[in-house]
Amino acid sequence: MSGDTLPLLDTVIRVVYLLAAVTFVLGLHFMRSPVTARRGNLLSASGMACAVLATVVLILAGEGHGRIVPIAAVALVIGTAAGSAGGMIGARRVKMTAIPQLVSLFNAVGGGAAAVVGVVDFVRLNAEGALTAGVSVPVVLDVIIGSVTFSGSLIAAGKLQGWVSGAPITFAGSRLASIVAAVVAVVGGVVVIANPSAWLLWLVVVAALAFGVLMVLPIGGADMPVVVSLLNAFTGLAVAMAGFVVDNQIMIIAGALVGASGTILTQQMAEAMNRSVMSIMVGGFGTGDTSAADAGASNAMAGVEVRKVSADDVAIQLAYAQKVIIVPGYGLAAAQAQRECGELGKLLTDRGITVYYAIHPVAGRMPGHMNVLLAEADVPYDQLKEMDEVNPEFDTADVALVVGANDVTNPAARRTGNAISGMPILDVDHARSIIVIKRSLGHGYAGLDNELYGDPKTGMFLADAKKGLAQILAGVKSYVG
């Protein structure tokens, strides 16, 4: 491309970047509500597609470090197409219950890519003798944050998928090893900035990778949604740092937006669970990693008789109630029972019954998981109530219908000495009658039995959420005509 054309192209690219940045901000704004979230997602995705295409054109035109060789151009185009197609196909095919794992893998890919960009640019600039302190600082931050995100996100995905135990994993000296890895990464990074050295940078990479693993392994139970959100914020920061390294404005903007929004979400979720972000990062605190506490809590149901009910029993209670609060959880997501749940809620609403859906901040193992599912079932947004808003409503509810939610309804959280102590829960036990739809009496993700099941007001309907709700729906229809 001629020298006269490049300035014009550069101007066009910058305009595209500016428009893409605007779509990112508007997209985030629209995602504040389930009603406009789909529009916001499409808008942001469109902006990102334009930004990626603009960057590919910029590189092929020879801006920056000069025109790339033909084989690199082919690899760039094929890589961009394959990555885009893979992401689109993977996101379409993945089950809703596996979305948290997918998000963790995306975090790993983003963090790992950012770290690779940092290492490659560091090695190149160091060999050319062009490495300045202004470049070294973002490079080192990029490498450390990206490496921690990469290894930590892979462990988080493994825990969520069940390939790695969901329980806190510790071993003798694990916390000391975690501290040593963090110190080596930080001190090594400072030395690299002061005295650039490729081998020392690789040591920093190894230490950061080790810290990511050691940081996530001790975390378990109900803290995993917070960890996924925290690693998402790390990914944004790593991408922003990579943007400084390669002087790409759209990477800086997109990374900063992801980092800021992820940080705010992480803080809100940690507060909702009565945890501090630092205690979660350190690991083990509040996650019930003391065997004595776990043993006492896990035996809470020993000798307790539970009252089992049938679909007809549940249908009668619902048909003649005045206020029903439905509590959706991971069991509903796993069974893909959102449409049956939505139909039941609509039937009751049409009967003049007040129906609310109680949404815990970490229901479903990922922020917003339940909101997305219920939006798929066309549940009216004004029936969705956040925890603080809906908890006072349980005192006047005739029936609380729990569908596959466990830890977030466990009264054991109000006591000390167990894995979920101090975690705010939905006050389901305040309702006049409680129905729990669940496959078995097994414990929740935090490894605790749910004391709610032994409450005299609770009726256990042991069934798959989708089939159970369908039976209840048919029963209610037969009673109300």
Side-chain angles (χ1 to χ4, degrees), residues 74-285:
V74 172
L76 175 66
V77 173
I78 292 177
T80 303
S84 301
M88 185 178 296
I89 293 171
R92 284 184 175 277
R93 289 186 175 179
V94 69
K95 295 179 180 178
M96 276 302 298
T97 51
I99 288 293
Q101 294 92 306
L102 182 67
V103 172
S104 288
L105 289 177
F106 282 167
N107 288 342
V109 172
V116 169
V117 168
V119 170
V120 170
D121 251 46
F122 179 91
V123 172
R124 180 180 61 81
L125 292 174
N126 192 37
E128 296 173 354
L131 199 59
T132 63
V135 176
S136 297
V137 172
V139 164
V140 170
L141 289 174
D142 179 23
V143 168
I144 293 176
I145 299 173
S147 299
V148 170
T149 306
F150 175 73
S151 59
S153 295
L154 288 181
I155 296 298
K159 278 177 169 277
L160 291 166
Q161 186 65 24
W163 293 341
V164 179
S165 173
I169 299 175
T170 57
F171 52 87
S174 59
R175 286 186 177 163
L176 177 62
S178 179
I179 293 171
V180 170
V183 170
V184 169
V186 173
V187 174
V190 172
V191 175
V192 168
I193 292 172
N195 184 23
S197 167
W199 74 265
L200 191 53
L201 183 69
W202 283 113
L203 178 63
V204 170
V205 171
V206 173
L209 289 171
F211 177 72
V213 173
L214 294 169
M215 181 185 76
V216 178
L217 277 180
I219 301 172
D223 287 336
M224 284 311 295
V226 186
V227 176
V228 174
S229 178
L230 180 65
L231 291 169
N232 182 250
F234 282 1
T235 303
L237 292 176
V239 171
M241 291 301 160
F244 282 110
V245 172
V246 299
D247 191 24
N248 186 293
Q249 292 81 8
I250 200 64
M251 289 180 67
I252 298 172
I253 295 171
L257 288 173
V258 172
S261 57
T263 301
I264 293 171
L265 182 61
T266 302
Q267 185 63 38
Q268 289 181 338
M269 292 180 64
E271 289 176 358
M273 297 181 66
N274 200 24
R275 307 270 197 263
S276 71
V277 176
M278 185 54 68
S279 70
I280 294 172
M281 286 180 65
V282 171
F285 293 96

Side-chain angles (χ1 to χ4, degrees), residues 405-416:
N406 201 325
D407 296 329
V408 298
T409 65
N410 194 341
R414 300 186 185 118
R415 299 198 319 272
T416 59

